Amino acid sequence: MSRSVYAERYADLTSAFGRLRPGQDLTVASGLKLWAVVGRSLVLRGVASGRVACAPLQPAGRVATLRAELHGPQLGGRVALRQSAAGSGLLSQLYHVTPARRDSLHRWALLRGDCERGEPVPSPVEGPLAAGRAPGVLTGRTFVSWNGMLDGALSIVIYGDKDTASIAACAPLRPIEPRQAVANWTDLGGTVLLRQDSPYDATLVTVQFRREAVRKAYSYGIDELPTISRGEIGVMCPNVRGVIYNPLGVSADRVPSPGEGSFEQYAVGDLSGKYGPLGENSAVEFVQVHDPYLTLFGPYSVVGRSAVVFRPDGVPLACANIALEGVKLLTAVATFDTPVQGQAIFQQAMGQSDVWMYVELSHPEPGGETYGHTWSVHERLVRTGSRLSSAWCADAGSVYNPYNVTTTAGYECQCSALAPERCVAGDLSGRLDTLDIPPFSSGRLAQYMFTDPGIELSQLLERSLVLGGPDFSDTPLACTNILAHN
């Protein structure tokens, strides 16, 4: 058994084997067990520069990943179980769902079956799991590993820190299936193929161009928005914003020349920056790399966004949306026609997490842009008469909250896309962002693309979407219904 809490150092390789030298190949005999180090990180620190680089130690073979999403009653967070022939590792990120001024340690167990009738599995490891006083703190992380694998349906139960017989949280460990997505630039002759086994694995990126396509192009990347055709004639890449997807906020002032830096120095969507530029003298016709910063899972997913190829003058040459392969999609639409106009499109792959949301809105009347509109899913449908939406939203009921998440002190600070279990399920602005709405007369639309890992789209159907007033007002501005789209 091996256990680590609070990201502490597990083994000091420098004192045992000395410093690494540039260009040196080093092979050593170590007493470390393979199962004890798989899943941990190897950290390198420059002696002179102090710069730090790190990467996870992954087994060479297939890894099966299961994950539990915990919603209380006392603790929230996620627990991932990773199993391979090299051994098993369990990584938890837990936090108190009610305001707490302390961290805590908790007894836990794996169950064979569900939370209600499951039988305890003989514990493969000893020691508690840590829970932080708030989401995201390092003191809420624990990693444990052991030699061997567990099979069958499993759940995890975590007990109270004071009343150790009470259940603080329990949830099934559900398998995470690999995802594969593709964008085909058919007319240009190019393809981007993405494959990721789980959120804890790097994405295998395969880019392929015909040689004549490389000569025409200069760069390629992933846009913030999808391309959507509304019947425009002669418009290349309609709806694309022309802004490279950059969720981690990489500063443009510090980006190295294309192909000369490491992946974290570029925006997530800057593919030609990371993998090399195109053009007459380019060697890029086929590229295959593992990209740890490009993901098909979670709030920073690139699924649904547009992959765009640009000419040397920055004008789009070709584009195609990144779509999952081998899945059946559930689609829902919420449409506004008064007192604002626009729509929200929701999509989710059947049997998978993550809901992709595309939102576009505007004020139909001339005027100024309004800011800070909340938006949320409510329990009941609303009456809209002969219109698609309404300003009278009393029928909507309360914000949809199936897990009875508390919204007492600290909720606004703790609910986010990175801690979706801490959020009320219907609180989209709390988990994602508020919306700004321009007037249609300005020639602009408010356009947003989100990935929400915290809800099931099937549970939102036949409910209402309520848009709040400006400046974070609780007073509804408009509401409409979320309906399945065939």
Side-chain angles (χ1 to χ4, degrees), residues 138-156:
L138 284 176
T139 48
R141 295 183 182 181
T142 310
F143 179 77
V144 296
S145 59
W146 61 90
N147 190 17
M149 300 175 63
L150 299 172
D151 57 9
L154 298 170
S155 298
I156 184 167

Side-chain angles (χ1 to χ4, degrees), residues 55-66:
L57 292 165
Q58 302 279 44
R62 176 81 169 86
V63 180
T65 303
L66 301 94

Side-chain angles (χ1 to χ4, degrees), residues 42-46 50-55 264:
L42 179 65
V43 180
L44 305 178
R45 186 185 302 273
R51 184 179 177 185
V52 175
C54 60
E264 80 279 1

Side-chain angles (χ1 to χ4, degrees), residues 11-250:
D12 183 358
L13 302 181
T14 305
S15 60
F17 308 113
R19 293 175 178 172
L20 297 175
R21 307 293 180 186
Q24 175 191 22
D25 292 331
L26 180 64
T27 302
V28 297
S30 169
L32 295 173
K33 302 295 186 182
L34 181 60
W35 58 264
V37 297
V38 165
R40 302 183 186 275
S41 295
L42 179 65
V43 180
L44 305 178
R45 186 185 302 273
V47 176
S49 66
R51 184 179 177 185
V52 175
C54 60
L57 292 165
Q58 302 279 44
R62 176 81 169 86
V63 180
T65 303
L66 301 94
R67 185 169 65 187
E69 299 178 357
L70 303 166
H71 296 271
Q74 299 174 35
L75 299 179
R78 294 187 171 189
V79 177
L81 174 60
R82 305 257 292 162
Q83 302 193 110
S84 71
S88 298
L90 187 142
L91 174 66
S92 65
Q93 174 73 69
L94 304 175
Y95 50 84
H96 290 268
V97 296
T98 55
R101 297 182 179 179
R102 61 184 178 84
D103 304 315
S104 55
L105 297 174
H106 297 258
R107 183 172 66 91
W108 62 284
L110 294 174
L111 306 177
R112 183 82 64 192
D114 59 27
C115 289
E116 295 182 358
R117 297 177 296 275
E119 295 292 330
V121 175
S123 178
V125 293
E126 297 177 356
L129 299 182
R133 63 183 70 90
V137 298
L138 284 176
T139 48
R141 295 183 182 181
T142 310
F143 179 77
V144 296
S145 59
W146 61 90
N147 190 17
M149 300 175 63
L150 299 172
D151 57 9
L154 298 170
S155 298
I156 184 167
V157 58
I158 304 171
Y159 299 96
D161 61 325
K162 294 182 178 179
D163 180 3
T164 57
S166 67
I167 294 178
C170 187
L173 284 157
R174 304 186 188 278
I176 295 178
E177 298 298 330
R179 293 183 181 178
Q180 182 163 298
V182 66
N184 285 309
W185 300 300
T186 305
D187 294 338
L188 183 65
T191 302
V192 173
L193 181 66
L194 311 171
R195 179 181 171 84
Q196 187 176 20
D197 287 343
S198 81
Y200 308 96
D201 295 288
T203 297
L204 178 62
V205 182
T206 305
V207 182
Q208 192 162 7
F209 288 100
R210 290 203 302 257
R211 184 59 194 169
E212 54 269 28
V214 174
R215 294 193 185 99
K216 298 177 184 177
Y218 174 73
S219 63
Y220 63 106
I222 298 172
D223 195 86
E224 288 185 344
L225 298 177
T227 179
I228 299 176
S229 176
R230 296 177 172 87
E232 301 93 338
I233 298 175
V235 178
M236 181 60 68
C237 302
N239 201 68
V240 166
R241 181 174 288 169
V243 178
I244 291 296
Y245 182 50
N246 186 18
L248 303 180
V250 173

